[in-house]
Amino acid sequence: MSAEQSPKIVIVDESPVRAAILEEGLREAGFTQIVHIREMQSLLARIYAVDPDIILIDLENPSRDVLEAMFQVSRAVKRPIAMFVDQSDSSSIQASVEAGVSAYIVDGLKKERIKPILDLCVSRFNAFAKLQEELERTKSQLEDRKIIEKAKGILMKVKGLTEDEAYVLLRSTAMREKKKIGEIAQSIITASEMLK
Amino acid sequence: MTAPLRIGFIPLVDAAALIVAVDKGFAAAEGLEVELVREVSWSNVRDKLNIGLFDAAHLLAPVAIASSLGLGHVKVPIAAPLNLGINGNAITVSPALHAALMEEIDGDRFDPLATAKALAKVVAKRRKVGADPLTFGMTFPFSTHNYQLRFWMAAAGVDPDEDVRLVVLPPPYMVDSLANGHVDAFCVGAPWNSVAVDLGIGHILHFVSDILARAAEKVLAVRQVWADKHPDVVAALVRAAVKAAEFIEQPANLAEAAQLLAQPERIGVDAEVILRSLTGRLKISPDGAVRESGRYLLVGREGAGRPDPVQAAWLYAQMVRWGQTALSPEALGTAMAVFRSDVYDAALGRAGDGQASTPFSAFAGPAFDPKDVGGYLASFEVGRL
């Protein structure tokens, strides 16, 4: 794909990590003209300056409404063609909305050309979501472990249990109460602090 | 009774009936299992409703009409069987603009014609010295906020497209934008006007009820095809929200309603600030002055919940006046048919014929007649016809 043929793509995303993941994917797919806009205050001015063919925006970004207004003031952007590709391609639309991405075709770009871009964004958004999820899980596991250690210590001291016995007590209580061990451990810590 | 419903909402006080219907159990009592999904933009709410990710939504009344007409986006017919709120917005101006307006004002400062005339003088003065045009923030191209600002300023000959700048801003950015001078004023729903006043960076100039006696603000929106398939669910949802609205409107329940709305996963602001808009007692200037109005926001009283096709016609007329669409009798009919007073009446088991429309009144301009939208619009000097 030559530089002239590659559409100009603006990515509006407050998350630098996700924008980087998106940009990398788009570049691998042969798209060369990509601009990431992060700050919202100068959103419109920057978009006018870049004059993109396609705008990709994260659905969690409240500035989507600002873009909508832009498309209605046609003196600002040349030819707003479509949003969400085409109404007939509803499965592709649904997938992109569920992944959290929305696309605006700005300037007369053929709609067939946005399909692969959108597909790529959907898979990249999903990859990012998975990454986030794993990060969260690791973080909360680490946090849980610390809390459980502390609660075990309290039980050992107050009830004169061994470490193994303290853990068994935590686990069986969690099972009986249908809660996570971390939650039970947290309530032991809270209670012991209140009784101090 | 049914599959769980997913309903989108924007964290604003006029989502009250929907939030209370779910969190106080009125929806469950109707056999509904509802998941409320908090959203960040009107475009999202509309799109997720349109493609079926939401079964229903808290939606700007003009967006329901625009979607049914295919304006600004794809065409998806929407039915609005319930009004979630009447009024509820306010116009807030920066201390500098407030001072400039008060210097020019001739008459009562709560009279919108007097303030609009003062605005016209400020605009003319700024033009003379080559200052930038004043910038006003509003929430969406198809919004009552947009039309209320335009209606107000145009009454004194200020052309909203030529003499000032009107920009869309997400509500959570309004206050910042006023503070850092990106806008000189804005029109928005609660709680953002109060937030600006509390920070000492804004004066509430008008409640929108000063401009229009009753403006349909948000509706409960469903896709027409979905409503046709699930009439019982729609009726149950309307009943649940109406019961919630009745609950909220009881003075004894206001504090509890404000608490429910204040929850972090709902609106997520201080209950005290929410209470101000529910009671219509608002601090309007940084010096602590308070203004009270029984018409600031109507959730269910005075028949607010019943969708009125005349209100839909008025909103459509604004779209025509400001060049968002051309006038056509078919489109007018489509717009009016979005507001389903018949579905509302049927859900509550009430006969509809006894409930006439409330006459539409504004502070300026001729009386609105949905049978002569062209004649009505022709009488305005400023517009994009």
Side-chain angles (χ1 to χ4, degrees), chain A:
Chain A
M1 200 181 293
S2 71
E4 305 84 81
Q5 281 175 328
S6 180
K8 243 189 248 176
I9 304 174
V10 157
I11 300 171
V12 182
D13 199 327
E14 283 174 326
S15 155
V17 178
R18 184 169 49 201
I21 291 177
L22 266 179
E23 185 168 346
E24 186 192 81
L26 288 165
R27 287 198 189 278
E28 273 171 20
F31 299 98
T32 51
Q33 303 194 70
I34 302 162
V35 178
H36 173 212
I37 300 181
R38 193 177 166 195
E39 67 279 21
M40 293 303 129
Q41 288 296 3
S42 56
L43 179 65
L44 291 190
R46 299 242 2 229
I47 286 178
Y48 296 154
V50 176
D51 191 19
D53 303 297
I54 302 166
I55 302 171
L56 294 168
I57 183 164
D58 162 28
L59 282 184
E60 292 311 307
N61 193 316
S63 290
R64 261 204 80 200
D65 286 345
V66 180
L67 288 184
E68 289 274 329
M70 200 170 87
F71 281 99
Q72 280 166 33
V73 186
S74 47
R75 24 176 193 188
V77 174
K78 274 180 281 175
R79 271 179 297 159
I81 302 295
M83 293 146 236
F84 284 141
V85 198
D86 185 283
Q87 219 173 343
S88 60
D89 190 8
S90 62
S91 65
S92 167
I93 298 167
Q94 188 135 351
S96 58
V97 174
E98 276 173 358
V101 62
S102 170
Y104 291 76
I105 309 171
V106 180
D107 195 11
L109 193 76
K110 279 211 176 75
K111 68 178 186 232
E112 301 82 66
R113 291 194 58 195
I114 185 133
K115 176 82 166 82
I117 297 176
L118 212 52
D119 287 347
L120 188 132
C121 289
V122 168
S123 62
R124 292 255 143 185
F125 259 63
N126 287 336
F128 175 75
K130 222 172 175 180
L131 204 73
Q132 283 290 85
E133 211 176 280
E134 271 167 28
L135 198 70
E136 283 300 309
R137 205 177 323 127
T138 321
K139 232 169 53 197
S140 79
Q141 274 171 357
L142 262 175
E143 195 58 30
D144 268 3
R145 205 179 302 156
K146 270 193 257 168
I147 292 170
I148 291 167
E149 284 305 314
K150 201 168 168 192
K152 273 199 302 194
I154 295 168
L155 288 178
M156 285 158 71
K157 197 167 141 198
V158 174
K159 301 194 69 160
L161 302 176
T162 66
E163 188 172 351
D164 281 351
E165 284 168 342
Y167 185 73
V168 168
L169 180 59
L170 275 173
R171 198 179 57 188
S172 58
T173 310
M175 281 168 72
R176 199 174 55 242
E177 306 247 318
K178 294 195 175 69
K179 283 185 176 151
K180 288 185 189 145
I181 294 190
E183 290 174 53
I184 300 293
Q186 184 59 56
S187 48
I188 288 171
I189 295 167
T190 308
S192 95
E193 273 162 9
M194 284 171 71
L195 295 172
K196 254 180 200 165

Side-chain angles (χ1 to χ4, degrees), chain B residues 109-128:
Chain B
R109 69 186 172 119
F110 296 125
D111 171 7
L113 193 56
T115 55
K117 283 179 178 165
L119 177 72
K121 286 185 197 160
V122 173
V123 164
K125 265 192 176 171
R126 290 175 70 100
R127 177 169 297 145
K128 223 175 185 177

Side-chain angles (χ1 to χ4, degrees), chain B residues 155-172:
Chain B
V158 176
D159 188 321
D161 295 311
E162 301 295 332
D163 299 332
V164 298
R165 273 192 218 131
L166 272 171
V167 297
V168 164
L169 273 181

Side-chain angles (χ1 to χ4, degrees), chain B residues 61-62 65 87 143-152 208 211-217 308-322 324 332 335-336 339 359-371 373 376-377 380:
Chain B
I65 295 166
N87 304 338
S143 70
T144 37
H145 317 82
N146 187 15
Y147 305 139
Q148 284 154 356
L149 276 176
R150 287 168 176 268
F151 193 91
W152 166 61
V208 297
I211 296 166
L212 305 162
R214 289 168 73 91
E217 179 56 40
D308 183 345
V310 175
Q311 292 275 352
W314 186 83
L315 291 169
Y316 170 73
Q318 306 313 299
M319 296 175 190
V320 176
R321 181 177 181 187
W322 303 114
Q324 290 177 324
L332 172 65
M336 291 179 78
F339 278 32
F360 197 94
S361 65
F363 78 96
F368 177 68
D369 177 5
K371 291 189 196 71
V373 171
Y376 169 77
L377 291 177
F380 290 105

